Amino acid sequence: MFKRNLTAAAVALALAGPAFAQDAELAKIREEIKQMKDGYERRIDALEKRLAEAEAKAGKAEKSAASAQTAAASASSRPASENSFNPAVSMVLQGTYAKTSQDPNTFRINGFVPSGGEVGPPKRSFGLAETELAIAANIDPYFRGVAIAALAPEGGVEVEEAYFQTLALPAGFTVKGGRFFSAIGYQNEQHQHAWDFQDAPLAYKAFLGGQLKQDGVQFKWIAPTDLLVELGAEFSAGDQFPGSDRNKNGATGGSIFAHLGGDIGASTAWRTGLSYLRTSAQNRAYDSDVDSLGVPVTNSFSGRSRLWVADAILKWAPNGNSTITNFKLQGEYFRRTENGQLTYDDTAGSNLFGGPVTGPFDSRQSGWYAQGVYQFMPRWRVGYRYDRLNFGTVDNGIVQNGLGPVAVDFSLLAPHSPRRDTLMLDWSPTEFSRLRLQLASDKSRLGLTDNQFFVQYIYSLGAHGAHKF
């Protein structure tokens, strides 16, 4: 009997062991679940607390922004004190040493009507070029103002640019008004100290008097696309060459332009454009001509002038990094037509023909240039430019209709297609200074070659804005 009871107890213990083990495992699982729930609840509590804090900060920021906007609106409604802003002020110092084989005082571009601009080479020996003084600042949230004065070496001050520009127009529109460099072509908008060569290409000298600046208004629109699409129009007084002061109401000069640009991979960028300028001239005179006897005469033109400009530029830098090496290829093509009346007046000279003689005048002339500039190592660049003007066709009714003066009495309009080759080497120890050596063979004058040697310095002081592409 005792043995049977002992055996039964042993069997009961054997069967109870797995049950106890299963209960322990279940208790362990329940404990792990409880710990996980506690952990998630703590994390949720922490996230909810952070969310509440972030929402509170956002509310404060919105209130601050609203207060700032209200303050700005209030400030814009009353005059600003002199100390409420600090305009950017800069100055550019320039000078040259020049050696030329022909007298710069007798410079002319034969075959083309003189533009009246400062298109000749600098004076021989040492000379000071124009000093540029610029002041620029945002006027308020809606407008920006820029004033640039050119201090002439011989004394006097000329307003080079003075304009306002909008800051807050929607949809990519901007308006500029005052005196400014026209946006036609590529180089015209750039200031002289930003050029890659000491002087302007021959086409700029012959067709725009070196550089076209005008008093008027400019409208520009940039499309919201990855590809640069820029369209614009300008309306001006038209009193600068190739126009003249007509003392007339309205806009006597105007232009339209379109520019496209973009990137080719990570290393190359490009831009191309087409521009059209139309203006009218009334008694646009030049007195640098001489008749067949070598006596000075005055010629003047009245009529319409139309100019087309096509431009293109390509810039390359390894992976977009231009600090070590880079290359820039640039070119522009000009085509001008003029038609109207030409007046020949030798009254102050030989008076061979008894006073002024007027006849029809029509011309179709063109010109172009191409240049390349290569930075072969940091701070050092070398460049070459080729200029060419094409005489085209010039119909002088005074000569063709036998009104008195003959072709030799119009020496400046003698058939001639000028050209020029230019080499340059410059060193820029910093972005604020540049020294340049330039050599040129200039055949602007009929039958003469002017071998030119220039050394130029450019120093920039103060806060100067970035140059255009």
Side-chain angles (χ1 to χ4, degrees), residues 202-223:
L202 289 179
Y204 272 91
K205 294 182 177 183
F207 298 127
L208 295 176
Q211 195 168 20
L212 177 61
K213 59 185 175 184
Q214 54 193 0
D215 296 347
V217 61
Q218 177 193 88
F219 302 92
K220 185 184 293 185
W221 174 71
I222 297 179

Side-chain angles (χ1 to χ4, degrees), residues 124-149:
R124 287 166 165 170
S125 188
F126 297 97
L128 182 66
E130 285 186 346
T131 298
E132 179 185 289
L133 176 62
I135 301 176
N138 289 353
I139 300 169
D140 53 31
Y142 311 104
F143 297 98
R144 176 172 176 79
V146 176
I148 301 176

Side-chain angles (χ1 to χ4, degrees), residues 257-435:
F257 55 87
H259 298 130
L260 299 176
D263 296 326
I264 304 174
S267 302
T268 307
W270 60 275
R271 202 200 83 165
T272 186
L274 184 65
S275 309
Y276 172 70
L277 170 70
R278 60 105 182 135
T279 187
S280 299
Q282 184 174 6
N283 297 324
R284 188 187 69 196
Y286 63 94
D287 56 7
S288 53
D289 211 346
V290 295
D291 62 16
S292 57
L293 300 178
V295 179
V297 297
T298 298
N299 295 311
S300 62
F301 169 78
S302 296
R304 298 186 307 168
S305 182
R306 304 291 184 268
L307 178 67
W308 288 92
V309 184
D311 65 88
I313 180 170
L314 184 74
K315 292 185 177 183
W316 171 86
N319 296 317
N321 181 9
S322 61
T323 57
I324 300 176
T325 61
N326 63 77
F327 177 72
K328 178 165 64 172
L329 181 64
Q330 172 183 330
E332 297 185 69
Y333 174 80
F334 293 69
R335 182 172 179 80
R336 183 182 66 187
T337 62
E338 291 191 326
N339 53 79
Q341 299 288 318
L342 183 66
T343 298
Y344 175 95
D345 188 358
D346 67 340
T347 302
S350 58
N351 199 20
L352 291 176
F353 306 104
V357 179
T358 301
F361 182 84
D362 184 85
S363 68
R364 293 168 295 279
Q365 299 181 300
S366 61
W368 61 277
Y369 76 92
Q371 67 184 52
V373 177
Y374 177 54
Q375 179 173 301
F376 55 93
M377 62 184 298
R379 304 178 183 176
W380 289 92
R381 304 190 311 163
V382 63
Y384 168 74
R385 182 178 68 194
Y386 179 75
D387 299 70
R388 178 80 181 194
L389 295 176
N390 299 311
F391 178 75
T393 60
V394 176
D395 298 326
N396 188 341
I398 295 177
V399 175
Q400 295 172 351
N401 298 334
L403 300 179
V406 294
V408 292
D409 291 313
F410 297 87
S411 61
L412 281 176
L413 294 181
H416 180 54
S417 295
R419 66 183 188 274
R420 180 175 61 174
D421 295 273
T422 307
L423 286 171
M424 80 85 182
L425 174 70
D426 65 29
W427 174 59
S428 302
T430 69
E431 59 181 307
F432 305 104
S433 59
R434 173 167 290 169
L435 297 174

